[in-house]
Amino acid sequence: EECLRLAQQAPTSSFAQNWHFVVVTDPGTRAALGELWRAVARSYVQRRAAAAAADARLARIGDNVRYLADHIHEVPVHVIPCVEGRTDGKPAAAQASRWASIIPATWSFMLAARARGLGTVWTTFHLRHEREAAELLGIPYERVMQAALIPVAYTVGTEFRAGPRRPLDTMVHWDRWA
């Protein structure tokens, strides 16, 4: 709850808070969400198998996806960030405006969790089955979009290292794209 209280303080794009979190602790509900997630994860790994065979970084991502697919139902808490109002088929500006509240709130939640020794990851595989997840969770699908499924659990150890990333100058553009 501390992490959720901190998330409430995130910047928001509207005068009224238009976002919510569904916190799932029930083992049966987590298992059902896990099945939705797993169905997409397995096809994701299969589609990328050839590329992963040639690229160690992609192979590591595939290994991580497989591991979470095998264990997602065991993660003690799933947090589903949601935002009121659907943007299906709307222009990018309308979509960005809608997401501009739930993303900072969710990221604030994830950072607060990490500071307390909890691991999280932003996942979206279950959204291929968003309507089924909405029915499972009692979310009014026609009025509310799910943004992610965030598994939350204690980490194994507290030694974290920087992830492998491209050099900063390959992704930051000053004053213009060039």
Side-chain angles (χ1 to χ4, degrees):
E1 287 183 12
E2 255 181 43
C3 298
L4 294 167
R5 280 191 191 89
L6 287 168
Q8 282 184 300
Q9 301 306 309
T12 186
S13 69
S14 66
F15 293 110
Q17 177 188 323
N18 65 347
W19 49 267
H20 306 262
F21 289 109
V22 178
V23 179
V24 182
T25 59
D26 176 74
T29 306
R30 289 190 337 260
L33 285 170
E35 285 301 317
L36 297 176
W37 198 93
R38 205 173 353 268
V40 178
R42 292 216 166 99
S43 64
Y44 171 88
V45 170
Q46 288 172 350
R47 282 192 316 273
R48 286 158 178 78
D55 183 330
R57 185 183 61 87
L58 294 177
R60 191 171 49 252
I61 291 169
D63 290 345
N64 291 336
V65 169
R66 270 190 295 282
Y67 182 86
L68 187 54
D70 291 343
H71 297 280
I72 194 163
H73 62 285
E74 298 168 0
V75 176
V77 178
H78 294 177
V79 175
I80 313 292
C82 300
V83 63
E84 295 175 15
R86 299 202 64 84
T87 60
D88 306 306
K90 293 195 175 169
Q95 293 184 43
S97 176
R98 182 68 55 195
W99 296 110
S101 292
I102 191 59
I103 290 173
T106 304
W107 188 241
S108 293
F109 168 80
M110 293 170 73
L111 288 173
R114 176 139 180 186
R116 287 156 180 77
L118 297 167
T120 63
V121 63
W122 181 290
T123 74
T124 57
F125 286 160
H126 88 290
L127 294 176
R128 296 273 182 149
H129 303 285
E130 183 188 7
R131 189 178 295 271
E132 294 93 328
E135 289 174 17
L136 179 68
L137 299 169
I139 297 169
Y141 176 83
E142 299 301 328
R143 295 183 293 116
V144 175
M145 289 187 300
Q146 298 164 57
L149 185 158
I150 312 292
V152 182
Y154 284 103
T155 60
V156 177
T158 56
E159 297 295 318
F160 299 107
R161 65 180 189 277
R165 301 291 186 262
R166 295 186 331 236
L168 193 60
D169 63 356
T170 66
M171 57 177 282
V172 174
H173 309 273
W174 294 93
D175 295 321
R176 60 181 299 143
W177 190 287

